[in-house]
């Protein structure tokens, strides 16, 4: 196997177990081109791919929200009593004062939080070294906005957790799930092994 971490490769999805070995075992650079989807018992699914179109009407409710980065000054309400603040909670009137539809698409999604200084406050609240990692991380550009500019990550995320019963798009395997986008593939669908490893190292410590 090639050991050059900077060799670039295209990627397709494969379901593996958590941990960095999932990708290291799967990748055979130069012959196979793989992305990785990891699942946990708490319904958190990690999509290590090209990011996520987190404003998509079939996906926005199922985007993971980092509980360690929730604004401590906001009295957020867990309306479904699942022990988490999610986008399902944030789209209810009880939390309307704490969010704003910044992208004017008629719903509260990750794009709204990333553009809201109450949420993206430039402070690393969970002290994991990733400032304002509200929904995941972009290891291509090293920032907190893992938006998909390729499309592949959104496709795999739709297979995992596109919302069903809403007369929109397709239905995923799990209609109520938390999808954590960890982006290591760029707009061309290429990425490095080094960045993929960073993404996998981020995952176990996430809230």
């Amino acid at each position: 196997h090639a050991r050059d971490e900077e060799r670039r490769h295209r990627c397709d999805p494969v379901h593996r177990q958590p941990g960095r070995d999932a990708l290291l075992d799967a990748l055979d650079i130069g012959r196979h081109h793989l992305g990785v989807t990891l699942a946990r018992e708490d319904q958190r699914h990690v999509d290590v791919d090209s990011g996520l179109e987190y404003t998509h009407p079939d996906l926005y409710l199922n985007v993971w929200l980092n509980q360690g980065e929730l604004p401590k000054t906001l009295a957020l309400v867990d309306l479904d009593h699942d022990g988490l603040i999610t986008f399902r909670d944030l789209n209810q009137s009880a939390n309307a004062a704490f969010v704003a539809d910044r992208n004017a698409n008629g719903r509260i999604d990750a794009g709204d939080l990333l553009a809201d200084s109450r949420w993206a406050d430039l402070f690393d609240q969970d002290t994991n070294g990733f400032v304002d990692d509200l929904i995941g991380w972009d290891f291509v550009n090293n920032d907190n906005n893992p938006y998909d500019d390729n499309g592949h990550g959104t496709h795999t995320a739709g297979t995992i957790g596109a919302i069903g019963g809403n007369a929109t798009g397709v239905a995923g395997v799990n209609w109520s799930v938390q999808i954590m986008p960890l982006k290591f593939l760029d707009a061309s669908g290429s990425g490095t092994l080094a960045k993929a490893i960073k993404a996998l190292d981020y995952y176990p410590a996430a809230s």
Side-chain angles (χ1 to χ4, degrees):
H1 297 329
R3 296 297 182 184
D4 182 0
E5 290 186 347
E6 296 307 315
R7 181 178 292 184
R8 302 172 74 80
H9 54 280
R10 292 201 174 265
C11 296
D12 291 319
V14 63
H15 294 274
R16 304 287 293 180
Q17 294 298 314
R20 98 165 25 186
D21 288 345
L23 185 60
L24 297 181
D25 290 344
L27 283 174
D28 182 355
I29 302 175
R31 290 200 311 114
H32 301 297
H33 314 295
L34 304 168
V36 177
T37 300
L38 308 174
R40 289 173 35 150
E41 292 180 357
D42 60 5
Q43 297 300 310
R44 188 186 311 172
H45 289 251
V46 184
D47 206 14
V48 183
D49 209 298
S50 62
L52 176 66
E53 185 184 341
Y54 45 68
T55 58
H56 194 290
D58 248 359
L59 293 169
Y60 76 101
L61 288 176
N62 286 344
V63 177
W64 172 74
L65 187 56
N66 186 351
Q67 304 300 295
E69 287 286 346
L70 299 179
K72 294 180 172 58
T73 57
L74 303 182
L76 298 165
V77 182
D78 176 17
L79 291 163
D80 54 9
H81 307 291
D82 64 353
L84 301 171
I85 298 297
T86 69
F87 283 99
R88 296 177 186 274
D89 297 312
L90 297 182
N91 276 273
Q92 301 299 318
S93 59
N95 287 309
F98 311 128
V99 292
D101 184 12
R102 299 300 179 95
N103 54 26
N105 63 5
R107 52 186 176 268
I108 300 302
D109 55 45
D112 298 316
L113 302 192
L114 293 175
D116 190 332
S117 61
R118 294 174 296 177
W119 290 79
D121 56 7
L122 303 180
F123 182 66
D124 182 16
Q125 294 196 72
D126 59 4
T127 66
N128 66 352
F130 298 89
V131 176
D132 291 334
D133 54 329
L134 289 164
I135 62 166
W137 198 255
D138 177 355
F139 290 91
V140 176
N141 300 295
N142 194 32
D143 61 34
N144 69 335
N145 188 4
Y147 193 81
D148 189 0
D149 50 10
N150 172 268
H152 192 271
T154 299
H155 175 76
T156 58
T159 301
I160 297 166
I163 302 165
N166 61 351
T168 300
V170 300
V173 174
N174 190 337
W175 296 1
S176 182
V177 68
Q178 300 174 68
I179 300 172
M180 179 197 297
L182 299 180
K183 176 175 179 173
F184 85 102
L185 300 178
D186 62 21
S188 71
S190 297
T192 66
L193 179 59
K195 290 174 181 176
I197 290 172
K198 287 180 180 179
L200 287 169
D201 284 345
Y202 171 93
Y203 160 66
S207 299

